Amino acid sequence: MTAQLFTGASEPSTDRTVVGENLSLPLFRTLSGVLAGHPYLKVVVDRVENTWHLLDTAAHPFHVNYIATRVLGMELAELDATLDAFNASVYADPARRFLLGVLSLHTDEDAEGRERTFLVLETTEADTMNGQLLQFFYEFVRQRVDGRLPVLLKPANHGQEEELAAISEQRLPRILSHELFGSRVRTPLNPGEAVGRLRFFRTDEEYAAAAGELGWADIVAMPCLPDDVPRTAGFLNTAPITPLSHTNVLASGWGIPNAIVRDLEQLVEKDDLDGAWVRYQVREDEISLERLDREPALRAPAWHQQRIRLEPPLLEDAPVLSLHRLRGADRDRYGTKAANLGELHHVLDSRTADLTTFYGQPRPPRDDLYGHLAARLGLDAPHLPQLRARAAEFASATVGAPEGVALPFALQQHFLASSPAIQQGIGKLKMALELDATDVLDPICLQLQQLIRHTPVPESVMRQISQAFPAPPAEHGRLVVRSSSNAEDLPGFSAAGVYDSVTTVHGTAELLDAVRQVWASLVSPRSVRLRHQVGISLDDTYMGVIIQEYVPASLGGVLVTCDPTRRADFRNVYLNCSPGSPERVVEGSVLPQQYLYNTVEGGGRTVALGSWGDDLPAATRARLADLSLTGRLLQSHFSEADVDRPLDIEWLMTERGDFRLVQIRPYAL
């Protein structure tokens, strides 16, 4: 449930809204709509008139439109002109007249395995009801609902959870979001539609035996898809993953449907779907899988004709540079990741970038969201020069950029040119690609990777790497070596998880091994195939390397400056985290804690507790709200021409409680 996005929509002539009646299950079904697979009904409690309104969902898409036009007699144009002030009066005023909420219908099983139907009452995520108002709201509704239907209150944000902590559950029965949806049978991850052949694998071994024959017309279904899954028509998971898993990032970048369907095995057996041709659709509120009567006439997907062209890399000698000396324009010498981290240093250090432009976009009927940003930053008014300065100060105070050095493409080129054997292997690979000899591609790539990993590094290259550090790497302790190619983070080609990073490096010998491993990942069978599919030439592809000192983390993860499952939502930032290093979240080795933070009206809510089963302390969640707002501010700069283009940010919280951003890139939509 969200606050109003738009106004002015025409309403149907039929309107079954009722006022003052008690609610029975038949009346609920008459008035309700469906959201995320659950029937729901909007309610408005009028404290002055001591009555409530049960809104016909089809006739009234927004609470505030109904209150303004049907209760207060306002015109829609008048509401549009004062929308933010009106919203504040119904969502934030402690003495508000109206209480707005939604009742949704759910079923589960009781302790004895019998089906139980119950209602859940909740407010919008931006609502600031205190404990007293929440209790009044619940009791008012409870007294007017059929007593045979249990009613539970679901706090809509962390603030409401904290308010309810002082009220016993006997007086105010409740259910938390992760309790309600944590066991959801079907969860959309990436919207889309595909027609293809369903390939269902119950185990990793079954998948491995068939992986080589999977093609663009297949829809791959299994408990948890591997990160090296090839490009196919769609994905289906039968075990929980998050929207920020590598495979869902790939699905998003490739524009293919992806969802969690926990009961897929039963569906497959019931309708004999394994190997059948199906129509697979994933929407924000619906997942469907329809068996087709016959094999359809399919055309090759558009990406078969897609051709991505890279800017020519600059291979002339360039020095090994500290990250803080790079800028975004250096991506053609050091790679995208390194250049973005250099740009991040510049933004945080100089404080000259305008980080408010996302909030300057019109969000009809609002001209802009500057007033909301001012409130988030603690300012009384959205005076632009002051707002821009405060935004820059807030970002710099909240996060830091990692220290480290970047190796240019030129070093990789010198290394590759130093070995005739490597040059011969590259020649074989180019020939195989030109002839489209896919049957010999993998052995050639693996042999070439082996050569790169074990060829001695020329003295001149070793010297440049070692001179980048003021002391031997062994004295620094643990290092992290990351890829920074020019063939990643591109429109239409994200390459998430395709290239190697090495996070446990000690000493000079291990450092050189790690650098060669990152270089070798550029010619892995998977990376070569994925680039070849979209027309990226091997001649134009190079690998830079980032070397950083390892920073111990108390908490780490990934955030994207959007809600991946609701693309039109401009309010929320989605964040995954787990104790320790962010690599655990990135690699998918744990199920992370998941949060949504509203960067317009404020507030956050817990989506899932992950593998730990416990929520973070309130103080830590408040810090994550600051991190999320900072991500939104940085979007204004790093999204360049399209300020609505979200970012994908990998981050960690140090043991001292400081945030460090270790990667920043566009999030593929």
Side-chain angles (χ1 to χ4, degrees), residues 68-86:
T69 60
R70 298 300 180 89
V71 181
L72 301 179
M74 296 171 61
E75 297 292 333
L76 279 178
E78 181 184 358
L79 172 63
D80 288 352
T82 60
L83 182 60
D84 287 332
F86 193 92

Side-chain angles (χ1 to χ4, degrees), residues 169-184:
E169 292 199 37
Q170 286 71 32
R171 295 186 62 187
L172 207 167
R174 71 203 66 166
I175 188 168
L176 301 181
S177 179
H178 62 83
E179 295 171 331
L180 184 63
F181 299 119
S183 58
R184 180 185 290 174

Side-chain angles (χ1 to χ4, degrees), residues 198-209:
L198 185 69
R199 304 294 303 276
F200 179 57
F201 306 106
R202 291 171 176 80
T203 66
D204 292 344
E205 290 74 20
E206 286 184 12
Y207 169 83

Side-chain angles (χ1 to χ4, degrees), residues 311-360:
E311 292 296 323
L314 299 181
L315 302 176
E316 69 270 14
D317 286 339
V320 176
L321 286 181
S322 296
L323 290 174
H324 71 266
R325 295 181 61 188
L326 298 181
R327 294 293 303 274
D330 290 315
R331 60 177 58 92
D332 54 7
R333 291 179 176 85
Y334 296 87
T336 308
K337 286 182 188 175
N340 284 348
L341 289 177
E343 188 70 16
L344 177 63
H345 272 281
H346 170 74
V347 168
L348 298 178
D349 293 343
S350 71
R351 303 188 183 184
T352 57
D354 183 0
L355 304 183
T356 69
T357 55
F358 174 87
Y359 291 87

Side-chain angles (χ1 to χ4, degrees), residues 380-638:
D380 294 330
H383 180 57
L384 271 183
Q386 184 184 17
L387 187 62
R388 288 168 180 161
R390 179 71 184 110
E393 292 170 1
F394 182 87
S396 298
T398 304
V399 303
E403 298 298 329
V405 300
L407 310 187
F409 298 156
L411 282 190
Q412 183 206 20
Q413 172 68 0
H414 288 322
F415 168 74
L416 297 176
S418 71
S419 169
I422 291 177
Q423 290 300 304
Q424 185 179 18
I426 292 173
K428 288 182 180 179
L429 179 55
K430 289 179 180 178
M431 181 64 69
L433 291 171
E434 288 175 8
L435 298 176
D436 203 23
T438 56
D439 55 331
V440 299
L441 198 62
D442 287 11
I444 292 174
C445 288
L446 293 172
Q447 183 180 24
L448 184 53
Q449 283 191 284
Q450 185 79 355
L451 273 173
I452 292 172
R453 290 193 187 107
H454 293 92
T455 295
V457 178
E459 179 64 32
S460 61
V461 175
M462 288 180 58
R463 186 167 55 252
Q464 291 188 64
I465 295 174
S466 61
Q467 287 177 349
F469 296 90
E475 295 183 18
H476 285 266
R478 181 174 166 183
L479 297 174
V480 176
V481 178
R482 301 180 184 274
S483 61
S484 181
S485 172
N486 64 335
E488 59 185 322
D489 302 339
L490 304 171
F493 190 76
S494 72
V498 171
Y499 304 121
D500 285 356
S501 292
V502 187
T503 60
T504 54
V505 179
H506 298 84
T508 303
E510 288 189 13
L511 175 60
L512 293 176
D513 287 343
V515 170
R516 282 180 294 195
Q517 180 176 333
V518 172
W519 283 339
S521 67
L522 195 67
V523 291
S524 70
R526 184 178 183 230
S527 68
V528 168
R529 286 179 181 276
L530 289 175
R531 291 195 305 269
H532 184 59
Q533 287 173 350
V534 296
I536 297 177
S537 169
L538 186 63
D539 286 330
D540 294 334
T541 308
Y542 282 85
M543 180 66 75
V545 178
I546 301 169
I547 304 172
Q548 300 165 269
E549 293 184 37
Y550 172 76
V551 178
S554 61
L555 192 68
V558 179
L559 71 85
V560 292
T561 57
C562 66
D563 180 346
T565 62
R566 297 188 178 277
R567 303 299 173 81
D569 178 7
F570 60 81
R571 289 170 158 79
N572 284 294
V573 163
Y574 177 71
L575 185 148
N576 284 186
C577 62
S578 70
S581 167
E583 277 77 22
R584 304 175 75 184
V585 174
V586 174
E587 294 167 356
S589 59
V590 297
L591 277 177
Q593 294 147 311
Q594 301 171 49
Y595 299 92
L596 279 169
Y597 285 97
N598 185 324
T599 59
V600 177
E601 289 89 1
R605 62 190 188 275
T606 303
V607 177
L609 297 183
S611 301
W612 282 265
D614 293 319
D615 210 341
L616 292 169
T620 303
R621 295 189 314 219
R623 295 291 316 285
L624 294 180
D626 290 344
L627 175 65
S628 299
L629 179 56
T630 299
R632 179 71 83 201
L633 295 174
L634 292 173
Q635 180 179 334
S636 292
H637 180 76
F638 283 91

